[in-house]
Amino acid sequence: MERPAWAPPGIDISVPSVSRIYDYYLGGSHNFEVDRQAARRAMEFLPGLPKIMQANRAFMRRAVRYAVAQGVTQFLDIGSGIPTFGNVHEIARAASPEARVVYVDHDPVAVAHSRAVLAGDEHTGIVAADLRKPHDILAAPEVARLLDLERPVALLLVAVLHFLEDADDPHAAVAQLRDALAPGSLLVLTHASYEGIPLSEEVAAGTVGVYRDIRNPLVMRSGEQITRFFDGFELVEPGVVSMPLWQPEGTEDPDDAEAPEDPYAFSGFGGVGRKA
């Protein structure tokens, strides 16, 4: 297999990556055939996966605009993935030119591309770290350079917690991050769930099996289980809901344009909480 010029040296391009699979769902070009094969297998069970990802992105953008409207202009985006059009720093900067963003990912391709895209941007940075080790994130020099943790920060955990198994203790990771944030900080979260998927759980479980086979287990949690991640936060209306139902703004966002009419867009949950 020929290594593309954009692929960082040292990564195994024969192993699928959830970041690159996500990029494929969104119509991106930074993925390998092995990623596309895994994505197509997953879509055999859940053909609406691209619509789910579009709804996820549209929710993220609305939540970023909400944060800026609330006076929060610092963003810590963990599990940020491969940069695509309309990323957090672009949406935040459009609303507030002084917005500062730190992206965090453990995928070398996502980190390398973020560095290339963000080169020369003094208000945005990238950290190579894993959500399972919150201390490494909080202690990163880029976090210290760009974010003032004595002031409110919007913590984005968008489509990442469902890749942490219960054995990873994801609630403890979120709690450690929460405790490091100032009052008035926001938690922006989306999570996969069997609830809302317009198919039987038995059929949808086939997609979970594909992710398990590529050694990136996808953990489907209930709405009640997902709401637990907001312990210590006050939920912003309308609470933890299907992503298109969280403070919809209309169809000016290209990812919003058709998703609300598609039943797959209502799969999974999103919500925003404020630390008191």
Side-chain angles (χ1 to χ4, degrees), residues 25 39 42-56 197-199 207 243 259 262-267:
Y25 291 144
M43 290 170 62
E44 290 175 6
F45 301 99
L46 276 180
L49 276 167
K51 286 296 183 185
I52 297 173
M53 304 314 165
Q54 289 168 19
N56 184 78
I197 293 178
L199 293 171
T207 290
M243 292 175 288
D262 192 298
Y264 279 100
F266 294 86
S267 307

Side-chain angles (χ1 to χ4, degrees), residues 147-217:
L147 304 182
D148 178 1
L149 298 185
E150 298 299 315
R151 296 173 47 242
V153 173
L155 169 63
L156 276 65
L157 299 176
V158 175
V160 63
L161 283 165
H162 46 234
F163 292 114
L164 270 63
E165 298 181 276
D166 290 344
D168 296 317
D169 204 354
H171 289 93
V174 175
Q176 187 173 339
L177 291 164
R178 176 201 65 211
D179 292 346
L181 301 179
S185 293
L186 301 174
L187 171 60
V188 176
L189 184 155
T190 65
H191 198 296
S193 177
Y194 285 122
E195 296 177 33
I197 293 178
L199 293 171
S200 70
E201 182 173 326
E202 290 73 22
V203 173
T207 290
V208 175
V210 171
Y211 279 89
R212 182 178 59 248
D213 290 345
I214 65 172
R215 299 182 181 179
N216 282 284

